[in-house]
Amino acid sequence: MFASFSARSVCGRGAAGIAAATLVSGLTVATLTATAGRAAADETAGRAQGGATATIGGLKTYGPAVVHSDAGDQELSAGLFEMSVEGGGTLQTYCVDIHNPTQKDAKYHETPWSGTSLGANEDAGRIRWILQNSYPQVNDLAALARKAGVSGGLSEQDAAAGTQVAIWRYSDGVDVEAVDPQAEKLADYLQDSARDTTEPEASLTLDPPALSGRPGALLGPVTVNTNADSVRVTPPADAATSGVRVVGKDGKPVTAAQDGTQLFFDVPADAADGSTELTVQASTTVPVGRAFASESRSQTQILAGSSESTVSATATATWAEAGAVPALSAAENCAEGGVDITAVNTGDAPFTFELMGMEHTIAAGETRTVTVPLQEDQAYDFTITGPAGLEHRFTGVLDCRTQAAESEDTSVSTQTLTEPTPATAGAPTEDVNLAATGSSGTTPLIGGVAIGLVVIGGAALVLVRKRKAQD
């Protein structure tokens, strides 16, 4: 069943052209696991937070709007996008970056507000209020029109356009109006009525996403956080050969869990040094107001409606008989303008790695978070290796500010690189599957190999939140 989904949608063509957009990869964490004393050939990738992954299908229900600026007026389409969820399901979203285009067939991941421009936006809660109190969550358009004081009623196109315009006023701070009088009346009502609300919880996450320890013990706990009634637990792919099991507190194998369930990796005492992962999956409706960030520089989206959809999350475990036993995870941190890399060492020897030509040592029993500062829209690619065949590659592009905010900040400059650069799209086109809301420039790339991190532009490394790991 759909959660507050409209029964009909209309496809059409946006009024403005689309500029060429840069294609870059979004934040991914690729883990090469080593089991039974050898490096595994499989590579897994995904956002550490978990949740839904979807491909955008285009602007489906919309109406015209006009953005007013010193450079003149720009007409564009305002309304609802539709996404297809991997594994099954459909999402409806509005965008929160008016001057950045939506790239055709871009892949998106459910993301906390802190990893998007919403994290630093004091009006993000008001945007969620608009989503909860307008179309498609409120699909009785006659009742919505009466509440907004709209005479003559609202069509689906009016409702979608008015809702998107109200969101843009809070997400981008732009002077934008809906062309249709009914849609504009709705936008004014929503803007004036919006109240602050809290960020919704994720549909599904595992906490922590990475852990480590000694063989012969239960490694964990890994706590399931979800709004689903139940989740399916998939054991490690190499369980038959490694002997590693996923169990509960009582040591019994677990194949299903729910919100709050604690999972453990049961590693045999004679297991060779290595690492593995578990996956949980569920079918649920994604909470309204969850952000969706793309693997490319495509417009950030915010959820307006969800059918029953597939969501998943992964956690990794690393073990060794002696020495350092690190666990690594990463998350984009828009408040600090970079990527947080958290290293946990549960071994009895220091774990030493190198970043940006600087050597860092995590003492036995210590947890340290390293923040790698990045410029807005800057891509990065680096790998950290460790004992027991541990190898983590982190790639992505930092997308923390709307194009409108960037254009107003004269202190922000764009770094130009000759090479390497990401692939770019072709000539400007008009397409119903793209939102005609602006363009993005070429995104510089940060590259790195092995345990080194090479940052183009000479950014400094910041070490924060150093603490002792919990026993």
Side-chain angles (χ1 to χ4, degrees):
M1 295 292 293
F2 283 87
S4 300
F5 248 52
S6 62
R8 296 178 289 118
S9 63
V10 178
C11 296
R13 182 174 298 276
I18 306 299
T22 300
L23 302 179
V24 292
S25 61
L27 173 65
T28 61
V29 181
T31 306
L32 302 180
T33 61
T35 58
R38 63 178 179 82
D42 294 336
E43 178 176 300
T44 60
R47 285 181 176 261
Q49 293 87 359
T53 297
T55 299
I56 199 161
L59 196 59
K60 298 299 183 182
T61 309
Y62 60 93
V66 176
V67 179
H68 305 291
S69 69
D70 293 340
D73 292 347
Q74 177 190 7
E75 186 173 337
L76 67 162
S77 298
L80 273 172
F81 290 86
E82 190 169 290
M83 292 188 184
S84 298
V85 179
E86 287 187 2
T90 304
L91 307 177
Q92 286 181 312
T93 61
Y94 291 103
C95 83
V96 290
D97 192 352
I98 190 171
H99 292 306
N100 190 36
T102 299
Q103 297 172 12
K104 185 176 182 179
D105 298 328
K107 181 175 286 189
Y108 283 77
H109 299 274
E110 185 180 341
T111 306
W113 286 0
S114 61
T116 71
S117 61
L118 294 169
N121 187 340
E122 62 183 13
D123 291 321
R126 296 179 187 272
I127 295 173
R128 189 189 181 202
W129 185 96
I130 291 171
L131 294 166
Q132 292 173 318
N133 291 273
S134 190
Y135 180 76
Q137 287 299 304
V138 178
N139 54 20
D140 184 343
L141 298 184
L144 182 60
R146 287 194 298 271
K147 186 172 290 188
V150 178
S151 59
L154 289 166
S155 67
E156 288 183 335
Q157 291 74 29
D158 294 335
T163 304
Q164 177 66 91
V165 166
I167 289 171
W168 277 334
R169 291 173 182 174
Y170 281 123
S171 66
D172 294 75
V174 292
D175 182 5
V176 58
E177 293 180 315
V179 172
D180 184 89
Q182 282 86 353
E184 175 63 14
K185 183 75 171 179
L186 174 62
D188 289 342
Y189 160 75
L190 293 172
Q191 181 185 11
D192 294 341
S193 302
R195 299 293 181 266
D196 192 28
T197 57
T198 59
E199 178 179 1
E201 297 293 331
S203 60
L204 176 61
T205 61
L206 291 175
D207 183 34
L211 48 79
S212 60
R214 298 292 188 210
L218 296 182
L219 306 187
V222 175
T223 303
V224 177
N225 300 301
T226 184
N227 67 342
D229 293 334
S230 64
V231 301
R232 298 180 298 279
V233 180
T234 302
D238 59 347
T241 56
S242 68
V244 177
R245 304 182 305 160
V246 178
V247 300
K249 290 181 179 179
D250 57 4
K252 296 180 180 180
V254 175
T255 58
Q258 58 188 12
D259 183 49
T261 297
Q262 292 186 329
L263 304 175
F264 297 80
F265 291 87
D266 183 9
V267 182
D270 59 353
D273 295 355
S275 61
T276 192
E277 67 179 28
L278 69 85
T279 300
V280 294
Q281 189 177 82
S283 181
T284 187
T285 55
V286 181
V288 170
R290 287 295 289 170
F292 278 78
S294 73
E295 292 185 353
S296 61
R297 187 62 172 90
S298 189
Q299 272 179 334
T300 299
Q301 304 284 310
I302 190 165
L303 190 76
S306 169
S307 72
E308 195 80 5
S309 299
T310 299
V311 296
S312 63
T314 300
T316 62
T318 303
W319 61 90
E321 181 65 31
V325 192
L328 301 169
S329 60
E332 290 182 358
N333 182 347
C334 286
E336 297 294 334
V339 176
D340 284 347
I341 303 169
T342 299
V344 181
N345 181 12
T346 58
D348 55 15
F351 168 53
T352 299
F353 62 98
E354 187 176 291
L355 286 174
M356 300 169 58
M358 297 175 60
E359 190 174 88
H360 304 282
T361 298
I362 311 299
E366 182 186 3
T367 294
R368 186 183 302 177
T369 296
V370 177
T371 299
V372 181
L374 303 171
Q375 290 188 1
E376 177 67 10
D377 298 336
Q378 197 162 35
Y380 54 90
D381 185 350
F382 57 92
T383 300
I384 299 176
T385 62
L390 182 69
E391 183 173 317
H392 279 267
R393 182 185 180 193
F394 304 97
T395 67
V397 58
L398 192 71
D399 184 9
C400 291
R401 308 183 70 193
T402 64
Q403 292 287 331
E406 289 181 69
S407 64
E408 292 176 358
D409 189 350
T410 57
S411 66
V412 176
S413 60
T414 301
Q415 187 178 25
T416 303
L417 304 179
T418 56
E419 64 178 328
T421 57
T424 57
T429 62
E430 286 190 6
D431 194 306
V432 67
N433 288 325
L434 302 179
T437 56
S439 62
S440 62
T442 301
T443 304
L445 176 68
I446 294 178
V449 294
I451 61 173
L453 170 63
V454 180
V455 177
I456 302 172
L461 185 69
V462 180
L463 302 181
V464 297
R465 297 193 301 280
K466 180 178 179 182
R467 64 180 176 82
K468 289 290 183 180
Q470 297 293 328
D471 292 334

